[in-house]
Amino acid sequence: MMSTYDSLLDLADTLIQENGFQGFSYADLAAGLGIRKASIHYHFPTKTELGIAYCERKENRLRQMEETLLSVPAGKARLDAYMDAFAYCAQKGQMCGVHAMLSDSNLFEPALQDAVSQLAQTDLRIIADVLRTGRESGELTFRGEPADLAIIINCAVKGALMLNRVPPHDACERMKVAVQQMFSSH
């Protein structure tokens, strides 16, 4: 059986990806889990503490994704695997949790801003590594620095998730094709 702590983080993940961090309250969590708000405050006395725990969990999941990516051959296959890692968000009409947190981050306390910044940097580092190893394998050819192109790819993937929430709901598929074409013309 899942602990209340984990259940709270799971529901927070869903709510953040659907509505952003500012788009839900402890009342929403309590109603969603059928518990009292006091139970939530036991685990997370403040919403900032909930947000920091959420970022830590997302950081761990990004590192798990990174390990999975390392098992995929460097180059186009690994780049595709990175983009495919966000397919579950697209299927659910959700935003990326990292970018959902970024959208509200100017409203956060400094500790949560730092946690969100670290999360975003990890996400960018992962895609930069995918690009760097793809270039080293000879399969991905591009000019400039992998870290700079990582920003473009990251924004394309996460922006497509946002656009995918409105009809015709095909932004993620179209983005993936466009990114693949970027590397096929070289």
Side-chain angles (χ1 to χ4, degrees):
M1 184 167 166
M2 188 179 300
S3 71
T4 301
Y5 180 90
D6 288 328
S7 295
L8 285 165
L9 286 175
D10 283 350
L11 182 52
D13 187 34
T14 298
L15 294 172
I16 289 167
Q17 291 183 172
E18 289 174 355
N19 306 313
F21 189 71
Q22 298 296 94
F24 75 94
S25 68
Y26 275 20
D28 297 317
L29 290 171
L33 294 178
I35 61 176
R36 296 176 313 131
K37 285 195 291 185
S39 298
I40 300 167
H41 284 286
Y42 172 79
H43 295 286
F44 306 105
T46 67
K47 196 167 178 192
T48 293
E49 290 175 269
L50 172 65
I52 291 170
Y54 174 78
C55 288
E56 289 169 355
R57 178 186 252 206
K58 279 294 191 192
E59 180 86 19
N60 288 333
R61 289 193 175 158
L62 282 174
R63 290 175 191 221
Q64 290 169 355
M65 178 185 76
E66 181 177 31
E67 287 180 33
T68 301
L69 289 173
L70 291 173
S71 69
V72 177
K76 292 177 184 176
R78 192 175 294 173
L79 179 59
D80 284 348
Y82 173 85
M83 292 185 288
D84 289 344
F86 298 94
Y88 72 95
C89 294
Q91 293 164 356
K92 293 180 179 181
Q94 295 178 333
M95 302 178 273
C96 165
V98 177
H99 281 238
M101 292 296 286
L102 283 168
S103 70
D104 294 334
S105 63
N106 62 324
L107 305 172
F108 298 160
E109 293 179 23
L112 184 51
Q113 286 179 347
D114 291 346
V116 172
S117 176
Q118 174 61 43
L119 191 59
Q121 292 307 314
T122 297
D123 196 14
L124 285 171
R125 181 190 53 74
I126 290 168
I127 187 59
D129 286 347
V130 167
L131 295 167
R132 181 186 49 75
T133 58
R135 176 188 269 174
E136 289 170 356
S137 76
E139 236 185 272
L140 299 179
T141 305
F142 55 91
R143 295 181 355 190
E145 293 300 317
D148 296 334
L149 185 55
I151 293 170
I152 295 169
I153 300 295
N154 185 276
C155 290
V157 171
K158 307 315 171 68
L161 286 171
M162 297 290 288
L163 289 170
N164 209 61
R165 296 176 83 182
V166 297
H169 308 291
D170 65 351
C172 289
E173 294 166 23
R174 292 171 61 196
M175 174 276 307
K176 186 174 177 183
V177 169
V179 168
Q180 291 167 338
Q181 289 173 346
M182 285 174 41
F183 295 105
S184 65
S185 62
H186 296 283

